[in-house]
Amino acid sequence: MRIVIGVGLQSGSRRASLLAGTMLATVLLPLAAVAAPQSESLEEIAVTSVSPVQPKGSQPGAVATGVLPVATDTFSPVTVVTQDQISRNQPTTLGDALADRPGLSSSSYAPGAASRPIIRGLDNARVRIQENGVITGDVSDLGEDHGVPMNPLVDQRIEVIRGPATLRYGSGSIGGVVSSENNRVPTFIPAKGYSGQVTTGFSSVDNGRLGAATVDAGGDGIAVHADGFASATDSYAIPGGIQRNSATQSQGGSVGISAIGDQGFVGIAFSHYDALYQIPGGEAEEARTRLDPRQDKLMSRGEYRPTQGPFEVIRYWAGGSVYRHDEIGIGENGIDGLQATFKNREVEGRVELQHVPVTLPFGTLTGALGLQSGRRVLNSALESFLPPTDSRSNAAYLFEELKVGNGLRFQAAGRIEGDRIASTATLFPSDYLPVPGEDPEQFRLTRRFAPKSASFGALQDLPYGFVASLNGSYVERAPTGYELFSQGPHDATATFEIGNPNLKLERARTAEISIRRAEGPFRLDATGYYTRYTGFIYRNYTGALCDDDFASCGSGNELRQIVYKQQNATFYGAEIGAQIDLLPVGNGWAGIEAQYDFVHAQFDDGSYVPRIPPHRLGGGVFVRADGWYARVNLLHAFDHTEIAAFETTTAGWNDLRAEVSYTKTLDPAVYGANEITLGLQGRNLLDDDIRNSASFKKDEILLQGRNVRLFMTARF
């Protein structure tokens, strides 16, 4: 493990993090052996979004409060955020829910509102975000100021998938998949006829108020679900002041119904989301910029288990959404009003056929064939950096798993797509500077791509509950509409974007090795990876400045001109999380936890890929016993100095956190609930200046200062 962590660490801070990572591995493993004899037995956590090959009736497991969730029965590494963790941390965006996990960060463009997940330094077009297997249908990949229209407070868990398992979802997930999992389309009937959860909280840093509730009920083969959420914050506090124009509010909910029988289920759900949030920092703050995303979404899913025939399970997912947001603020005319509108209509469907196990002389073969299709129609008004774009995709994929005995399993997967993207292309001069008296020629263009991907993996059970995996994959990604056809000002990133209609497929070759352990007093989730990109698509800064039209390029002073280009690049890194139960306390344990992650990303010309997260090292102590849970943890980010052209370095920071909570079992006949949790949580208790090196806004805004959150969750 120490060899993997040490690859490519060059600067003083990198040597420091190498030493920290080495100490982490060397100290924790011997301590695990000391602590090994006794610990409570922990239920294995299962995930559903990684592979189409699932046991009949498989349901995700749960882990105890404060226990590091580790999925060991997966070929690819998976980060799981449990419902208990969500109700304690109370994030209102997916980025906020994941930002402190090893290998994950967030864009934090508008903290608490527009904060998209970043996986191993990759974001936007390379990270797919979905709900219950269906793409979210928003425009958050199009601009960092655009929020994801989802609230984690109603989720049962969040799964983050990396590596070869992303082949299940398409070339747009080359960097990873963030899957929000909930019961909006009901998949079960509660044992006592109903179940639910209510959570609420208040945060001091922004006078944040929130509440969310989920209810599941059913009987006689019919299950229903309902949920709702609402949150609101004022502009948040930073060390020494207030981050102006950072207030947020959001609300929404869903209703769903399913018919459930012995051989499967079929269901449908409708959900609505709307919000209003401000954009802090720079010109957006001066213009009092705010966005109001709204979305209506219809989802359906089902499963059928034949009693005979070649297929063991047949599953489907389908969904469609209508999304719109307006960007409002003070324009160049000094009037506060509508400045831009974005609309997105999207549909997607997927069918998977899992065949019955096949017994071979050397093992048992299980697998599934999948078919996927989708269409996206994107329109914008007033802010015209992207013309109307129509994207369509059809794909087929195959996963096969072979169990050969002695805890050894193999997986192979392949996928082929047909992608079609139609829009209006612009023929710019070769130097991307205007020719006096001439406007660039525009013409309709349809590009077609056929990305192909394949992967192979091995999973081996080891002594003492350890599991090791080795994976290799080759993935192709088609360029997106905005990478091909952008042609104007994008105020969110302060850029004048010029697409390249001649872009080719982006290709990635990845190898990764993992070792994990979920049982007993020592939990470990560690992965090292190496990815070689051919034709990596990126925003190249030309050095020219523009105003709001191409004629101003070279003579303007507001927006940096960028052109989408391709260049070979190399990414490598590691992500480690670990926990040890050391001392028995009451009916529980006291222990220590630690984490470390880094990503190194560099082009072949020696320059660095922009907006990469820093090396991070963290650790702390915890106690969980007799309904009590307490934790003190420090997460340290090292200085980020491996910067791209026109970037600035980012100073390191320290985020000291603490939490104490108590969970009590209740008599539902008396209290209406069977369990209640009340707690207090502190973040950034040192009130440190925290800037996110992966954010376009990091030189303009600070993240939240010292914050104390009071939270309560009742389950019934």
Side-chain angles (χ1 to χ4, degrees), residues 180-263:
S180 169
E181 301 292 328
N182 51 54
N183 201 44
R184 285 185 158 177
V185 178
T187 60
F188 66 91
I189 297 175
K192 62 180 182 180
Y194 68 92
S195 65
Q197 175 175 296
V198 176
T199 186
T200 186
F202 174 83
S203 54
S204 64
V205 74
D206 52 11
N207 291 321
R209 300 83 68 193
L210 61 83
T214 62
V215 178
D216 292 286
D220 298 326
I222 299 295
V224 295
H225 171 91
D227 66 61
F229 64 87
S231 66
T233 69
D234 301 335
S235 292
Y236 64 81
I238 56 176
I242 297 292
Q243 190 66 64
R244 302 296 177 186
N245 208 60
S246 61
T248 73
Q249 67 178 58
S250 67
Q251 50 275 323
S254 175
V255 291
I257 185 170
S258 294
I260 300 178
D262 294 336
Q263 291 183 256

Side-chain angles (χ1 to χ4, degrees), residues 345-378:
R345 291 177 294 157
E346 195 160 359
V347 293
E348 182 179 81
R350 191 171 73 256
V351 177
E352 291 177 352
L353 300 91
Q354 180 175 323
H355 66 71
V356 296
V358 178
T359 302
L360 302 173
F362 43 81
T364 302
L365 184 70
T366 56
L369 170 69
L371 302 172
Q372 181 176 332
S373 182
R375 183 180 181 185
R376 179 185 192 185
V377 178
L378 178 64

Side-chain angles (χ1 to χ4, degrees), residues 515-558:
I515 184 166
R516 287 162 275 172
R517 188 176 193 258
E519 65 182 48
F522 177 56
R523 279 87 59 192
L524 175 69
D525 194 347
T527 300
Y529 60 91
Y530 177 95
T531 301
R532 174 66 177 168
Y533 285 94
T534 303
F536 185 86
I537 301 172
Y538 69 104
R539 294 163 165 154
N540 179 62
Y541 294 102
T542 65
L545 293 176
C546 308
D547 291 329
D548 287 336
D549 58 4
F550 181 66
S552 67
C553 288
S555 59
N557 57 19
E558 294 182 1

